[in-house]
mmCIF file of all heavy atoms in Angstrom:
data_model
loop_
_atom_site.group_PDB
_atom_site.id
_atom_site.type_symbol
_atom_site.label_atom_id
_atom_site.label_comp_id
_atom_site.label_asym_id
_atom_site.label_seq_id
_atom_site.Cartn_x
_atom_site.Cartn_y
_atom_site.Cartn_z
ATOM 1 N N ALA A 88 55.714 148.974 90.703
ATOM 2 C CA ALA A 88 54.622 149.821 91.393
ATOM 3 C C ALA A 88 55.347 151.307 91.623
ATOM 4 O O ALA A 88 54.721 152.182 91.535
ATOM 5 C CB ALA A 88 54.275 149.229 92.708
ATOM 6 N N ILE A 89 56.611 151.264 91.970
ATOM 7 C CA ILE A 89 57.310 152.563 92.293
ATOM 8 C C ILE A 89 57.336 153.278 91.019
ATOM 9 O O ILE A 89 57.014 154.566 90.958
ATOM 10 C CB ILE A 89 58.734 152.290 92.844
ATOM 11 C CG1 ILE A 89 58.653 151.602 94.281
ATOM 12 C CG2 ILE A 89 59.610 153.603 92.949
ATOM 13 C CD1 ILE A 89 59.933 151.204 94.830
ATOM 14 N N GLY A 90 57.772 152.594 89.951
ATOM 15 C CA GLY A 90 57.828 153.332 88.691
ATOM 16 C C GLY A 90 56.513 153.890 88.157
ATOM 17 O O GLY A 90 56.338 154.989 87.649
ATOM 18 N N MET A 91 55.462 153.061 88.341
ATOM 19 C CA MET A 91 54.110 153.486 87.960
ATOM 20 C C MET A 91 53.686 154.577 88.756
ATOM 21 O O MET A 91 52.979 155.494 88.241
ATOM 22 C CB MET A 91 53.094 152.358 88.133
ATOM 23 C CG MET A 91 53.350 151.262 87.034
ATOM 24 S SD MET A 91 53.134 151.826 85.327
ATOM 25 C CE MET A 91 51.361 152.229 85.277
ATOM 26 N N GLY A 92 53.956 154.670 90.029
ATOM 27 C CA GLY A 92 53.585 155.829 90.773
ATOM 28 C C GLY A 92 54.316 157.174 90.268
ATOM 29 O O GLY A 92 53.634 158.205 90.273
ATOM 30 N N ILE A 93 55.482 157.063 89.767
ATOM 31 C CA ILE A 93 56.142 158.219 89.343
ATOM 32 C C ILE A 93 55.698 158.660 87.886
ATOM 33 O O ILE A 93 55.385 159.766 87.557
ATOM 34 C CB ILE A 93 57.671 157.992 89.176
ATOM 35 C CG1 ILE A 93 58.340 157.632 90.509
ATOM 36 C CG2 ILE A 93 58.438 159.127 88.467
ATOM 37 C CD1 ILE A 93 59.839 157.349 90.549
ATOM 38 N N VAL A 94 55.133 157.541 87.155
ATOM 39 C CA VAL A 94 54.428 157.741 85.916
ATOM 40 C C VAL A 94 53.188 158.652 86.121
ATOM 41 O O VAL A 94 52.877 159.622 85.413
ATOM 42 C CB VAL A 94 54.147 156.445 85.232
ATOM 43 C CG1 VAL A 94 53.193 156.720 83.981
ATOM 44 C CG2 VAL A 94 55.453 155.875 84.713
ATOM 45 N N VAL A 95 52.361 158.287 87.081
ATOM 46 C CA VAL A 95 51.193 158.973 87.462
ATOM 47 C C VAL A 95 51.492 160.431 87.759
ATOM 48 O O VAL A 95 50.833 161.408 87.337
ATOM 49 C CB VAL A 95 50.423 158.298 88.510
ATOM 50 C CG1 VAL A 95 49.265 159.216 89.027
ATOM 51 C CG2 VAL A 95 49.920 157.007 88.027
ATOM 52 N N ALA A 96 52.607 160.542 88.673
ATOM 53 C CA ALA A 96 52.920 161.920 89.058
ATOM 54 C C ALA A 96 53.347 162.821 87.897
ATOM 55 O O ALA A 96 53.015 163.989 87.726
ATOM 56 C CB ALA A 96 53.953 161.860 90.077
ATOM 57 N N VAL A 97 54.125 162.178 86.963
ATOM 58 C CA VAL A 97 54.591 163.092 85.822
ATOM 59 C C VAL A 97 53.434 163.373 84.910
ATOM 60 O O VAL A 97 53.393 164.488 84.448
ATOM 61 C CB VAL A 97 55.743 162.226 85.165
ATOM 62 C CG1 VAL A 97 56.133 162.961 83.765
ATOM 63 C CG2 VAL A 97 56.993 162.163 85.940
ATOM 64 N N ALA A 98 52.569 162.370 84.679
ATOM 65 C CA ALA A 98 51.466 162.715 83.716
ATOM 66 C C ALA A 98 50.552 163.700 84.458
ATOM 67 O O ALA A 98 49.933 164.540 83.508
ATOM 68 C CB ALA A 98 50.669 161.385 83.628
ATOM 69 N N ALA A 99 50.603 163.833 85.711
ATOM 70 C CA ALA A 99 49.664 164.918 86.299
ATOM 71 C C ALA A 99 50.117 166.233 86.079
ATOM 72 O O ALA A 99 49.375 167.248 86.260
ATOM 73 C CB ALA A 99 49.529 164.523 87.788
ATOM 74 N N THR A 100 51.356 166.486 85.624
ATOM 75 C CA THR A 100 52.030 167.780 85.529
ATOM 76 C C THR A 100 51.697 168.319 84.146
ATOM 77 O O THR A 100 51.949 169.563 83.904
ATOM 78 C CB THR A 100 53.457 167.767 85.723
ATOM 79 O OG1 THR A 100 54.119 166.940 84.758
ATOM 80 C CG2 THR A 100 53.809 167.115 87.083
ATOM 81 N N VAL A 101 51.236 167.587 83.248
ATOM 82 C CA VAL A 101 50.907 168.054 81.905
ATOM 83 C C VAL A 101 49.346 168.502 81.838
ATOM 84 O O VAL A 101 48.710 168.067 82.662
ATOM 85 C CB VAL A 101 51.284 167.096 80.699
ATOM 86 C CG1 VAL A 101 52.695 166.835 80.827
ATOM 87 C CG2 VAL A 101 50.509 165.830 80.812
ATOM 88 N N GLY A 102 48.957 169.115 80.698
ATOM 89 C CA GLY A 102 47.558 169.465 80.618
ATOM 90 C C GLY A 102 46.637 168.293 80.439
ATOM 91 O O GLY A 102 47.135 167.191 80.028
ATOM 92 N N PRO A 103 45.376 168.385 80.608
ATOM 93 C CA PRO A 103 44.424 167.262 80.690
ATOM 94 C C PRO A 103 44.353 166.555 79.219
ATOM 95 O O PRO A 103 44.195 165.361 79.146
ATOM 96 C CB PRO A 103 43.055 167.917 80.966
ATOM 97 C CG PRO A 103 43.469 169.204 81.719
ATOM 98 C CD PRO A 103 44.810 169.735 81.239
ATOM 99 N N GLY A 104 44.514 167.384 78.228
ATOM 100 C CA GLY A 104 44.482 166.775 76.849
ATOM 101 C C GLY A 104 45.584 165.833 76.569
ATOM 102 O O GLY A 104 45.570 165.004 75.679
ATOM 103 N N ASP A 105 46.736 165.942 77.340
ATOM 104 C CA ASP A 105 47.884 165.265 77.017
ATOM 105 C C ASP A 105 48.203 164.054 78.032
ATOM 106 O O ASP A 105 49.121 163.310 77.898
ATOM 107 C CB ASP A 105 49.136 166.122 76.854
ATOM 108 C CG ASP A 105 49.052 167.135 75.766
ATOM 109 O OD1 ASP A 105 48.742 166.726 74.699
ATOM 110 O OD2 ASP A 105 49.150 168.308 76.077
ATOM 111 N N ARG A 106 47.404 164.053 79.108
ATOM 112 C CA ARG A 106 47.735 163.181 80.265
ATOM 113 C C ARG A 106 47.683 161.703 79.840
ATOM 114 O O ARG A 106 48.541 160.850 80.246
ATOM 115 C CB ARG A 106 46.802 163.431 81.351
ATOM 116 C CG ARG A 106 47.225 164.686 82.070
ATOM 117 C CD ARG A 106 46.107 164.974 83.219
ATOM 118 N NE ARG A 106 46.471 166.246 83.829
ATOM 119 C CZ ARG A 106 45.575 167.013 84.577
ATOM 120 N NH1 ARG A 106 44.402 166.428 84.921
ATOM 121 N NH2 ARG A 106 45.974 168.127 85.100
ATOM 122 N N VAL A 107 46.728 161.245 79.125
ATOM 123 C CA VAL A 107 46.529 159.887 78.697
ATOM 124 C C VAL A 107 47.683 159.391 77.852
ATOM 125 O O VAL A 107 48.270 158.395 78.104
ATOM 126 C CB VAL A 107 45.227 159.663 78.055
ATOM 127 C CG1 VAL A 107 45.048 158.193 77.405
ATOM 128 C CG2 VAL A 107 43.965 159.893 79.038
ATOM 129 N N ALA A 108 48.029 160.268 76.936
ATOM 130 C CA ALA A 108 49.153 159.909 75.958
ATOM 131 C C ALA A 108 50.464 159.807 76.737
ATOM 132 O O ALA A 108 51.262 158.936 76.531
ATOM 133 C CB ALA A 108 49.208 161.087 74.825
ATOM 134 N N VAL A 109 50.729 160.817 77.637
ATOM 135 C CA VAL A 109 51.993 160.816 78.340
ATOM 136 C C VAL A 109 51.998 159.498 79.229
ATOM 137 O O VAL A 109 53.057 158.878 79.340
ATOM 138 C CB VAL A 109 52.090 162.026 79.256
ATOM 139 C CG1 VAL A 109 53.219 161.886 80.251
ATOM 140 C CG2 VAL A 109 52.343 163.217 78.295
ATOM 141 N N PHE A 110 50.857 159.284 79.951
ATOM 142 C CA PHE A 110 50.881 157.997 80.772
ATOM 143 C C PHE A 110 51.097 156.856 79.900
ATOM 144 O O PHE A 110 51.892 155.819 80.397
ATOM 145 C CB PHE A 110 49.468 157.937 81.443
ATOM 146 C CG PHE A 110 49.226 156.746 82.274
ATOM 147 C CD1 PHE A 110 49.707 156.738 83.613
ATOM 148 C CD2 PHE A 110 48.702 155.556 81.746
ATOM 149 C CE1 PHE A 110 49.591 155.593 84.382
ATOM 150 C CE2 PHE A 110 48.612 154.446 82.499
ATOM 151 C CZ PHE A 110 48.962 154.421 83.912
ATOM 152 N N GLN A 111 50.443 156.632 78.801
ATOM 153 C CA GLN A 111 50.734 155.478 77.965
ATOM 154 C C GLN A 111 52.201 155.285 77.578
ATOM 155 O O GLN A 111 52.639 154.291 77.540
ATOM 156 C CB GLN A 111 49.723 155.478 76.755
ATOM 157 C CG GLN A 111 48.253 155.280 77.140
ATOM 158 C CD GLN A 111 47.441 155.430 75.939
ATOM 159 O OE1 GLN A 111 47.626 156.099 74.926
ATOM 160 N NE2 GLN A 111 46.128 154.991 76.015
ATOM 161 N N SER A 112 52.738 156.471 77.227
ATOM 162 C CA SER A 112 54.147 156.371 76.745
ATOM 163 C C SER A 112 55.085 156.054 77.861
ATOM 164 O O SER A 112 55.905 155.227 77.756
ATOM 165 C CB SER A 112 54.581 157.789 76.200
ATOM 166 O OG SER A 112 55.918 157.960 75.833
ATOM 167 N N LEU A 113 55.001 156.643 79.083
ATOM 168 C CA LEU A 113 55.880 156.495 80.249
ATOM 169 C C LEU A 113 55.560 155.113 80.832
ATOM 170 O O LEU A 113 56.523 154.462 81.480
ATOM 171 C CB LEU A 113 55.709 157.511 81.210
ATOM 172 C CG LEU A 113 56.145 158.924 80.822
ATOM 173 C CD1 LEU A 113 56.065 159.978 81.739
ATOM 174 C CD2 LEU A 113 57.508 158.957 80.163
ATOM 175 N N ALA A 114 54.289 154.633 80.807
ATOM 176 C CA ALA A 114 53.946 153.251 81.506
ATOM 177 C C ALA A 114 54.758 152.093 80.910
ATOM 178 O O ALA A 114 54.932 151.152 81.489
ATOM 179 C CB ALA A 114 52.531 153.082 81.462
ATOM 180 N N ALA A 115 55.204 152.365 79.639
ATOM 181 C CA ALA A 115 55.991 151.267 79.079
ATOM 182 C C ALA A 115 57.264 151.010 79.711
ATOM 183 O O ALA A 115 57.798 149.756 79.699
ATOM 184 C CB ALA A 115 56.171 151.617 77.583
ATOM 185 N N VAL A 116 57.853 151.958 80.395
ATOM 186 C CA VAL A 116 59.094 151.823 81.129
ATOM 187 C C VAL A 116 59.079 150.845 82.251
ATOM 188 O O VAL A 116 59.789 149.809 82.291
ATOM 189 C CB VAL A 116 59.689 153.254 81.535
ATOM 190 C CG1 VAL A 116 61.016 153.056 82.293
ATOM 191 C CG2 VAL A 116 59.970 154.135 80.340
ATOM 192 N N PRO A 117 58.144 151.004 83.201
ATOM 193 C CA PRO A 117 58.073 150.097 84.359
ATOM 194 C C PRO A 117 57.517 148.673 83.847
ATOM 195 O O PRO A 117 57.945 147.633 84.417
ATOM 196 C CB PRO A 117 57.120 150.679 85.302
ATOM 197 C CG PRO A 117 56.419 151.797 84.621
ATOM 198 C CD PRO A 117 57.296 152.216 83.535
ATOM 199 N N LEU A 118 56.633 148.685 82.896
ATOM 200 C CA LEU A 118 56.194 147.404 82.476
ATOM 201 C C LEU A 118 57.204 146.620 81.802
ATOM 202 O O LEU A 118 57.389 145.414 81.894
ATOM 203 C CB LEU A 118 54.981 147.585 81.459
ATOM 204 C CG LEU A 118 53.729 148.187 82.008
ATOM 205 C CD1 LEU A 118 52.666 148.415 80.867
ATOM 206 C CD2 LEU A 118 53.133 147.263 83.108
ATOM 207 N N ALA A 119 58.044 147.308 81.001
ATOM 208 C CA ALA A 119 59.304 146.633 80.353
ATOM 209 C C ALA A 119 60.130 146.153 81.431
ATOM 210 O O ALA A 119 60.821 145.080 81.406
ATOM 211 C CB ALA A 119 59.864 147.623 79.372
ATOM 212 N N GLY A 120 60.325 147.001 82.567
ATOM 213 C CA GLY A 120 61.155 146.653 83.672
ATOM 214 C C GLY A 120 60.745 145.260 84.327
ATOM 215 O O GLY A 120 61.625 144.307 84.454
ATOM 216 N N VAL A 121 59.493 145.119 84.598
ATOM 217 C CA VAL A 121 58.903 143.939 85.258
ATOM 218 C C VAL A 121 59.166 142.727 84.286
ATOM 219 O O VAL A 121 59.552 141.614 84.730
ATOM 220 C CB VAL A 121 57.412 144.200 85.501
ATOM 221 C CG1 VAL A 121 56.828 142.815 86.067
ATOM 222 C CG2 VAL A 121 57.291 145.177 86.619
ATOM 223 N N ALA A 122 58.812 142.925 82.999
ATOM 224 C CA ALA A 122 59.021 141.856 82.089
ATOM 225 C C ALA A 122 60.375 141.335 81.993
ATOM 226 O O ALA A 122 60.741 140.160 81.965
ATOM 227 C CB ALA A 122 58.402 142.207 80.757
ATOM 228 N N GLY A 123 61.344 142.452 81.910
ATOM 229 C CA GLY A 123 62.825 142.124 81.709
ATOM 230 C C GLY A 123 63.346 141.339 82.830
ATOM 231 O O GLY A 123 64.042 140.414 82.704
ATOM 232 N N ALA A 124 62.838 141.756 84.106
ATOM 233 C CA ALA A 124 63.308 140.977 85.422
ATOM 234 C C ALA A 124 62.900 139.582 85.340
ATOM 235 O O ALA A 124 63.650 138.639 85.660
ATOM 236 C CB ALA A 124 62.727 141.686 86.570
ATOM 237 N N LEU A 125 61.680 139.325 84.802
ATOM 238 C CA LEU A 125 61.225 137.836 84.913
ATOM 239 C C LEU A 125 62.025 137.043 83.807
ATOM 240 O O LEU A 125 62.290 135.985 83.955
ATOM 241 C CB LEU A 125 59.647 137.867 84.485
ATOM 242 C CG LEU A 125 58.799 138.399 85.701
ATOM 243 C CD1 LEU A 125 57.350 138.421 85.260
ATOM 244 C CD2 LEU A 125 59.008 137.784 86.942
ATOM 245 N N VAL A 126 62.250 137.708 82.628
ATOM 246 C CA VAL A 126 63.085 137.047 81.625
ATOM 247 C C VAL A 126 64.446 136.742 82.156
ATOM 248 O O VAL A 126 65.023 135.742 81.932
ATOM 249 C CB VAL A 126 63.152 137.950 80.406
ATOM 250 C CG1 VAL A 126 64.097 137.342 79.356
ATOM 251 C CG2 VAL A 126 61.825 138.100 79.768
ATOM 252 N N GLY A 127 65.051 137.784 82.952
ATOM 253 C CA GLY A 127 66.331 137.496 83.534
ATOM 254 C C GLY A 127 66.371 136.400 84.466
ATOM 255 O O GLY A 127 67.307 135.451 84.505
ATOM 256 N N VAL A 128 65.328 136.365 85.272
ATOM 257 C CA VAL A 128 65.270 135.148 86.303
ATOM 258 C C VAL A 128 65.077 133.906 85.509
ATOM 259 O O VAL A 128 65.808 132.824 85.866
ATOM 260 C CB VAL A 128 64.022 135.526 87.211
ATOM 261 C CG1 VAL A 128 63.726 134.171 88.013
ATOM 262 C CG2 VAL A 128 64.297 136.654 88.065
ATOM 263 N N ALA A 129 64.276 133.846 84.460
ATOM 264 C CA ALA A 129 64.126 132.652 83.732
ATOM 265 C C ALA A 129 65.332 132.155 83.019
ATOM 266 O O ALA A 129 65.728 130.989 83.104
ATOM 267 C CB ALA A 129 62.998 132.854 82.752
ATOM 268 N N VAL A 130 66.077 133.012 82.427
ATOM 269 C CA VAL A 130 67.305 132.691 81.800
ATOM 270 C C VAL A 130 68.345 132.203 82.794
ATOM 271 O O VAL A 130 68.969 131.209 82.552
ATOM 272 C CB VAL A 130 67.843 133.937 81.134
ATOM 273 C CG1 VAL A 130 69.386 133.692 80.506
ATOM 274 C CG2 VAL A 130 67.000 134.188 79.790
ATOM 275 N N GLY A 131 68.479 132.959 83.926
ATOM 276 C CA GLY A 131 69.486 132.399 85.039
ATOM 277 C C GLY A 131 69.124 131.129 85.509
ATOM 278 O O GLY A 131 69.959 130.229 85.756
ATOM 279 N N THR A 132 67.771 130.749 85.700
ATOM 280 C CA THR A 132 67.435 129.413 86.252
ATOM 281 C C THR A 132 67.659 128.418 85.104
ATOM 282 O O THR A 132 68.110 127.201 85.484
ATOM 283 C CB THR A 132 65.878 129.486 86.587
ATOM 284 O OG1 THR A 132 65.660 130.467 87.527
ATOM 285 C CG2 THR A 132 65.464 128.107 87.181
ATOM 286 N N ALA A 133 67.435 128.708 83.826
ATOM 287 C CA ALA A 133 67.559 127.738 82.800
ATOM 288 C C ALA A 133 69.039 127.411 82.694
ATOM 289 O O ALA A 133 69.463 126.234 82.306
ATOM 290 C CB ALA A 133 67.057 128.249 81.584
ATOM 291 N N ALA A 134 69.954 128.379 82.951
ATOM 292 C CA ALA A 134 71.406 128.077 82.808
ATOM 293 C C ALA A 134 71.959 127.445 84.027
ATOM 294 O O ALA A 134 73.126 127.132 84.073
ATOM 295 C CB ALA A 134 72.053 129.524 82.631
ATOM 296 N N MET A 135 71.182 127.235 85.061
ATOM 297 C CA MET A 135 71.716 126.579 86.292
ATOM 298 C C MET A 135 71.802 125.127 86.032
ATOM 299 O O MET A 135 71.085 124.413 85.436
ATOM 300 C CB MET A 135 70.623 126.897 87.497
ATOM 301 C CG MET A 135 71.229 126.492 88.824
ATOM 302 S SD MET A 135 72.609 127.638 89.232
ATOM 303 C CE MET A 135 71.732 129.249 89.084
#
């Protein structure tokens, strides 16, 4: 949620025609972070 908030703030700084594309590009970062965290938790639990 923190990362997505920053994504929205950054996307708001560009022109209206580019905001959606910038949001879609940057939103992949926090989404990948959430998915990566769950994968790490799952791997750690499986190795226990």
Side-chain angles (χ1 to χ4, degrees):
I89 295 173
M91 289 300 293
I93 298 177
V94 169
V95 172
V97 173
T100 63
V101 302
D105 298 307
R106 285 174 187 168
V107 174
V109 171
F110 177 86
Q111 292 175 341
S112 175
L113 297 181
V116 175
L118 291 177
V121 173
L125 294 178
V126 170
V128 169
V130 171
T132 305
M135 195 64 59

